[in-house]
C-alpha cells in the first residue's frame, strides 16, 4: 500500500469557531499547511454529523457551513493548499459508513468515552438517542478512510474516536486483506490546548455552555469576557497571595502569551514565570493580569476578524471554493469506494 501523507480534519458546523477550536486543532492545521511535505490536506465541514442533534433545524446547520468556512479562511487556511469539502455532498461517505456498521457492536459504541461525554451535554435526547449520533465514530471512520487519511490533527477528547477508527480499519483488513490505512492522531504540543477551559473556569470551552470567546467577537465582547473570568476566589485584596493553578486567566496566559507580549505590555516582567511568582507571593491584582490577557487576545483576533469581514463581502466566492473542493474530494472517495467494494467482492458489474 502506498505510504502517502494525507491529512484530514474538520469541524461540525454548529456555530462560529472559538478559541478552543483555534488552539485545539486550527493552529496545528495552519502549522501543517505552512510546513508542507504532505500529499493531500482535506478539511471537512461535517454538516451531516451536525444534523444528528440538529435534524429539526437543518437551516441552522446550513447557515453555519458558511460561518465556519469564513472562520477557516480568516485564520489563514489556504484553498490553494487545502481541499475544503462539505460532508453531505460526498454521498460515498454514507456507503462507507453502512459497511463499517457491520464491524462495530452497539455495546462498543456505547462505551466510547467521547460519545459518553457528549451525551451528558445532549439533555434534549433524554433516553431517546438518535442512531445517527451513536454511530458518530463509524461515520468519522468513513470520512477518514474514504480519503486514505493517515494524519488526523485533534484535541485529546477525540482520541477515543481515532482509536475506534483504527479498530474498524484492522477489522476490515483482517476480513478482506490490506485495503485501508490506519490513521494516526496528532495532538497540540501545549497540554492546556487539549481542552481549553471556558471563560467560566468550569469546563472546556463549548457553545452549549456559553463560555466561549469566538474568533469573530468584537473588541468589546472580548474585553467583557476576559474581565469576567474566574481567577482565585481567595485572592481578595491586592496584597493577598494568589494561586495560579486552576486560575483561568493564567491558564490562558500559558496558552497565548509570548515573550514579545511582555516586552510590549508588561516590560517590568521578563516572562510568565516572573508574573506568576509575583501573583503567588501577593501584591499583584487580578485586573492587571486580565488587562494583559485582553491585550494579547485583542492582538490575536483583530486581524482574523478583519479578514473575515472581507470574505463576508463575497459569499458566492466562498461557496465556489467549497464546491470545487467537494467535487475534487468526491472523485477520490468514489475511487476508494470502488476499491473497497472490489476487495469485499460486491462490485458486481465492474
Amino acid at each position: 500500500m502506498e505510504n502517502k501523507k494525507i491529512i484530514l480534519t474538520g469541524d461540525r458546523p454548529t456555530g462560529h469557531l472559538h478559541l478552543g477550536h483555534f488552539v485545539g486543532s486550527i493552529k496545528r492545521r495552519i502549522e501543517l499547511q505552512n510546513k508542507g511535505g504532505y500529499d493531500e490536506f482535506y478539511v471537512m465541514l461535517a454538516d451531516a454529523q451536525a444534523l444528528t442533534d440538529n435534524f429539526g433545524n437543518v437551516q441552522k446547520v446550513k447557515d453555519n457551513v458558511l460561518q465556519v468556512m469564513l472562520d477557516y479562511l480568516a485564520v489563514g487556511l489556504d484553498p490553494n493548499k487545502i481541499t475544503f469539502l462539505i460532508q453531505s455532498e460526498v454521498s460515498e461517505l454514507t456507503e462507507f459508513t453502512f459497511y463499517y456498521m457491520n464491524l462495530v457492536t452497539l455495546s462498543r459504541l456505547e462505551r466510547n468515552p467521547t460519545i459518553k461525554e457528549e451525551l451528558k451535554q445532549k439533555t434534549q435526547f433524554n433516553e431517546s438517542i438518535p442512531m445517527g449520533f451513536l454511530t458518530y465514530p463509524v461515520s468519522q471512520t468513513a470520512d477518514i478512510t474514504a480519503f486514505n487519511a493517515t494524519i488526523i490533527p485533534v484535541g485529546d477528547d477525540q482520541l477515543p474516536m481515532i482509536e475506534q477508527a483504527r479498530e474498524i480499519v484492522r477489522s476490515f483488513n483482517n476480513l478482506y486483506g490490506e485495503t485501508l490505512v490506519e490513521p494516526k492522531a496528532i495532538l497540540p504540543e501545549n497540554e492546556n490546548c487539549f481542552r481549553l477551559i471556558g471563560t467560566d473556569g468550569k469546563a472546556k470551552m463549548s457553545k452549549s455552555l456559553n463560555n466561549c470567546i469566538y474568533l469573530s467577537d468584537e473588541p468589546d465582547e472580548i474585553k467583557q469576557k476576559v474581565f469576567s473570568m474566574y481567577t482565585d476566589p481567595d485572592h481578595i485584596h491586592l496584597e493577598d497571595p494568589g494561586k495560579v493553578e486552576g486560575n483561568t486567566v493564567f491558564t490562558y496566559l500559558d496558552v497565548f502569551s509570548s515573550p514579545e507580549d511582555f516586552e510590549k505590555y508588561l516590560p517590568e516582567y521578563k516572562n510568565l514565570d516572573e508574573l506568576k511568582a509575583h501573583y503567588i507571593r501577593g501584591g499583584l491584582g487580578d485586573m492587571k493580569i486580565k488587562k494583559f490577557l485582553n491585550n494579547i487576545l485583542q492582538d490575536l483576533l483583530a486581524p482574523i476578524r478583519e479578514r473575515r469581514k472581507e470574505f463576508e463581502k463575497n459569499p458566492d466566492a466562498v461557496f465556489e471554493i467549497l464546491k470545487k473542493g467537494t467535487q475534487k474530494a468526491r472523485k477520490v472517495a468514489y475511487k476508494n469506494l470502488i476499491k473497497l467494494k472490489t476487495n469485499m467482492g460486491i462490485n458486481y458489474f465492474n
Side-chain angles (χ1 to χ4, degrees):
M1 203 177 296
E2 290 183 88
N3 188 23
K4 289 189 174 183
K5 186 177 180 180
I6 300 173
I7 304 168
L8 182 134
T9 184
D11 298 282
R12 286 158 42 101
T14 55
H16 292 223
L17 299 182
H18 52 63
L19 285 177
H21 294 116
F22 183 78
V23 299
S25 60
I26 292 176
K27 190 176 178 182
R28 176 54 67 92
R29 296 176 201 176
I30 297 168
E31 292 169 355
L32 290 168
Q33 167 192 276
N34 295 340
K35 183 179 180 181
Y38 52 84
D39 295 281
E40 288 289 344
F41 196 154
Y42 298 96
V43 174
M44 174 184 291
L45 289 103
D47 62 323
Q49 288 173 353
L51 288 174
T52 59
D53 52 337
N54 287 281
F55 203 68
N57 197 352
V58 175
Q59 189 61 47
K60 172 189 171 185
V61 175
K62 186 177 179 180
D63 292 342
N64 283 329
V65 165
L66 175 61
Q67 298 306 319
V68 172
M69 188 60 189
L70 287 169
D71 285 332
Y72 284 161
L73 296 173
V75 298
L77 294 179
D78 185 351
N80 294 310
K81 299 177 180 179
I82 290 175
T83 300
F84 294 98
L85 65 140
I86 299 175
Q87 184 183 40
S88 64
E89 289 289 333
V90 183
S91 57
E92 288 78 8
L93 298 175
T94 307
E95 194 168 348
F96 274 98
T97 302
F98 183 80
Y99 298 135
Y100 294 161
M101 283 194 293
N102 297 305
L103 299 172
V104 183
T105 64
L106 179 60
S107 62
R108 176 64 182 92
L109 290 170
E110 291 174 332
R111 290 198 312 272
N112 186 298
T114 305
I115 294 296
K116 289 169 70 175
E117 186 62 31
E118 290 191 6
L119 282 173
K120 291 178 183 177
Q121 301 178 28
K122 306 297 181 183
T123 54
Q124 74 270 29
F125 290 164
N126 295 317
E127 296 300 318
S128 301
I129 304 169
M131 200 64 181
F133 188 88
L134 196 61
T135 57
Y136 181 12
V138 187
S139 172
Q140 193 171 67
T141 304
D143 299 336
I144 293 168
T145 58
F147 305 105
N148 285 330
T150 57
I151 298 170
I152 318 296
V154 293
D156 74 327
D157 60 324
Q158 289 292 307
L159 287 178
M161 305 289 273
I162 305 304
E163 182 52 40
Q164 188 151 14
R166 291 167 64 87
E167 289 176 14
I168 292 172
V169 166
R170 289 193 292 268
S171 295
F172 188 94
N173 288 346
N174 285 337
L175 284 171
Y176 300 111
E178 289 297 313
T179 307
L180 306 174
V181 181
E182 284 192 42
K184 178 183 177 182
I186 56 171
L187 298 170
E189 294 179 358
N190 186 332
E191 288 189 13
N192 286 315
C193 298
F194 287 1
R195 303 188 199 190
L196 183 66
I197 197 167
T199 54
D200 57 1
K202 295 178 181 178
K204 78 169 187 174
M205 193 169 281
S206 167
K207 303 179 190 76
S208 60
L209 297 176
N210 195 31
N211 61 0
C212 302
I213 295 177
Y214 293 98
L215 303 184
S216 54
D217 274 350
E218 293 294 332
D220 287 348
E221 293 175 300
I222 298 167
K223 181 179 179 181
Q224 184 274 321
K225 291 175 181 180
V226 171
F227 282 18
S228 65
M229 276 185 177
Y230 169 91
T231 54
D232 175 5
D234 297 322
H235 187 253
I236 300 170
H237 303 103
L238 181 68
E239 63 274 13
D240 291 340
K243 295 177 183 177
V244 297
E245 295 81 9
N247 185 319
T248 308
V249 178
F250 277 104
T251 298
Y252 276 61
L253 289 175
D254 277 326
V255 173
F256 294 104
S257 68
S258 68
E260 292 74 23
D261 294 319
F262 282 91
E263 291 176 13
K264 185 175 181 180
Y265 295 114
L266 282 182
E268 62 267 39
Y269 301 95
K270 289 182 181 179
N271 51 41
L272 184 56
D273 288 338
E274 283 195 3
L275 186 69
K276 286 181 177 180
H278 190 178
Y279 190 80
I280 290 169
R281 69 175 179 265
L284 178 59
D286 288 332
M287 190 50 66
K288 185 168 185 174
I289 59 171
K290 287 182 177 182
K291 286 180 179 178
F292 180 46
L293 176 59
N294 177 60
N295 286 331
I296 293 170
L297 295 183
Q298 297 288 359
D299 285 353
L300 171 67
L301 295 176
I304 294 174
R305 184 172 56 248
E306 294 310 307
R307 285 194 297 267
R308 195 182 199 280
K309 289 178 179 178
E310 288 301 309
F311 286 115
E312 281 178 337
K313 295 177 182 177
N314 193 351
D316 289 343
V318 175
F319 271 107
E320 188 61 27
I321 293 170
L322 279 168
K323 182 180 179 181
K324 288 181 178 178
T326 301
Q327 289 172 339
K328 175 185 173 182
R330 188 169 187 188
K331 291 177 182 177
V332 174
Y334 176 76
K335 178 182 176 182
N336 287 328
L337 179 62
I338 293 300
K339 178 183 176 183
L340 182 105
K341 294 177 69 174
T342 299
N343 287 12
M344 290 176 68
I346 58 171
N347 189 13
Y348 294 102
F349 305 120
N350 187 1

